[in-house]
């Protein structure tokens, strides 16, 4: 069975449920997308970047999920006032995982923050806050309070890619982000944008690197066809 490593997150603040027990975790929907696709999810807890190569050696592919904002220090910028919480430890670990996976020639799939950290790891940049930095924004990219499993805006396909055989030309996706890819890293192909031009998907078939800005794992709760995104990635492992 194919083993897909899912980079984990961790609690950084005390909370009523766990107190100061700063647990490692991953949302179960990511694991469901992997198991539904016939593969085995392996959670990789945040650790020292020096452990990345050993983690990658135990898996067949890497999935990077959503989460905190990526630190602008990772792409040479100062933080603007509108940036959210960052986690430099997570950034460093995930960048090391990405680099180790490329060296080992193992596929990589990023979702939301995961796509953003892939782009940064490969030399690209991000918008720290879309509302502040993109004056022509015409689509609501953080759909709250609409629930996660409800798609709200359309994709505009920019090229034939790994997803076009599995998704409608007028596909609707969900959207929970205020950061996004700004300058696409060298070697990445632009696959899709929102109708107002924000990058929604990219790929590099030669290195088997894929990223989407929306959350297919949450769409799974209401639409079984969202599984096709995970199936398309697993087929490349």
């Amino acid at each position: 069975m194919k083993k897909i490593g899912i980079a984990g997150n961790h609690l950084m603040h005390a909370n009523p449920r766990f107190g100061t027990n700063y647990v490692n975790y991953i949302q179960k929907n990511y694991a469901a997308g992997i198991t539904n696709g016939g593969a085995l999810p392996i959670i990789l807890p945040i650790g020292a970047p020096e452990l990345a190569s050993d983690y990658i050696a135990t898996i067949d592919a890497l999935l990077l999920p959503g989460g905190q904002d990526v630190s602008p220090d990772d792409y040479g910028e100062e933080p603007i006032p509108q940036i959210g919480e960052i986690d430099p430890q997570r950034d460093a670990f995930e960048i090391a995982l990405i680099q180790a996976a490329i060296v080992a020639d193992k596929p990589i799939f990023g979702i939301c923050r995961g796509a953003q950290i892939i782009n940064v790891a490969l030399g690209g940049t991000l918008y720290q806050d879309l509302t502040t930095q993109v004056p022509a924004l015409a689509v609501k990219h953080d759909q709250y309070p609409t629930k996660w499993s409800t798609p709200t805006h359309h994709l505009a396909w920019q090229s034939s890619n790994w997803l076009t055989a599995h998704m409608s030309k007028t596909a609707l996706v969900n959207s929970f982000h205020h950061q996004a890819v700004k300058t696409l890293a060298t070697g990445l192909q632009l696959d899709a944008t929102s109708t107002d031009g924000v990058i929604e998907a990219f790929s590099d078939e030669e290195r088997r690197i894929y990223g989407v800005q929306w959350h297919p794992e949450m769409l799974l709760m209401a639409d079984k066809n969202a599984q096709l995104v995970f199936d398309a990635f697993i087929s490349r492992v």
Side-chain angles (χ1 to χ4, degrees), residues 111-128:
I111 293 174
C112 196
R113 170 200 154 87
Q116 295 166 11
I117 196 71
I118 289 171
N119 187 59
V120 168
L122 299 181
T125 64
L126 305 179
Y127 290 112
Q128 294 185 44

Side-chain angles (χ1 to χ4, degrees), residues 127 134 136-139 141 156 158 181-182 190 192-200:
Y127 290 112
V134 185
L137 208 64
V139 167
H141 289 275
Q158 304 297 311
V181 172
K182 181 179 181 181
L190 175 61
T193 67
S194 56
T195 54
D196 60 354
V198 174
I199 293 175
E200 288 282 339

Side-chain angles (χ1 to χ4, degrees), residues 25-220:
Y25 70 92
I26 191 67
Q27 293 94 327
K28 65 181 183 179
N29 305 69
Y30 292 106
I34 298 302
T35 55
N36 291 345
L40 184 69
I42 307 291
I43 299 174
L44 310 179
I46 295 172
E50 293 76 19
L51 299 175
S53 293
D54 288 329
Y55 275 124
I56 294 299
T58 69
I59 59 176
D60 300 309
L62 174 66
L63 190 157
L64 298 152
Q68 301 92 335
D69 285 357
V70 176
S71 173
D73 185 59
D74 295 329
Y75 47 95
E77 293 185 8
E78 291 293 309
I80 66 173
Q82 293 79 12
I83 197 167
E85 182 178 51
I86 62 171
D87 183 355
Q89 183 184 3
R90 184 180 182 187
D91 289 352
F93 181 61
E94 291 188 348
I95 289 171
L97 288 175
I98 293 163
Q99 293 169 340
I102 291 173
V103 169
D105 191 28
K106 294 184 177 180
I108 305 170
F109 179 30
I111 293 174
C112 196
R113 170 200 154 87
Q116 295 166 11
I117 196 71
I118 289 171
N119 187 59
V120 168
L122 299 181
T125 64
L126 305 179
Y127 290 112
Q128 294 185 44
D129 180 71
L130 284 171
T131 302
T132 304
Q133 297 180 312
V134 185
L137 208 64
V139 167
K140 182 175 172 64
H141 289 275
D142 184 351
Q143 68 187 56
Y144 180 85
T146 300
K147 59 185 180 181
W148 287 83
S149 58
T150 301
T152 60
H153 77 70
H154 290 90
L155 296 179
W157 297 108
Q158 304 297 311
S159 60
S160 178
N161 61 74
W162 68 296
L163 290 175
T164 48
H166 306 284
M167 297 180 67
S168 165
K169 290 183 179 179
T170 58
L172 275 169
V173 296
N174 54 359
S175 193
F176 289 89
H177 64 106
H178 82 112
Q179 295 197 314
V181 172
K182 181 179 181 181
T183 303
L184 201 59
T186 301
L188 297 180
Q189 169 185 284
L190 175 61
D191 291 336
T193 67
S194 56
T195 54
D196 60 354
V198 174
I199 293 175
E200 288 282 339
F202 60 73
S203 62
D204 177 350
E205 285 289 0
E206 182 176 349
R207 292 182 289 181
R208 293 182 294 171
I209 298 172
Y210 311 94
V212 299
Q213 184 57 65
W214 69 93
H215 283 268
E217 83 286 356
M218 290 299 181
L219 293 177
L220 277 176

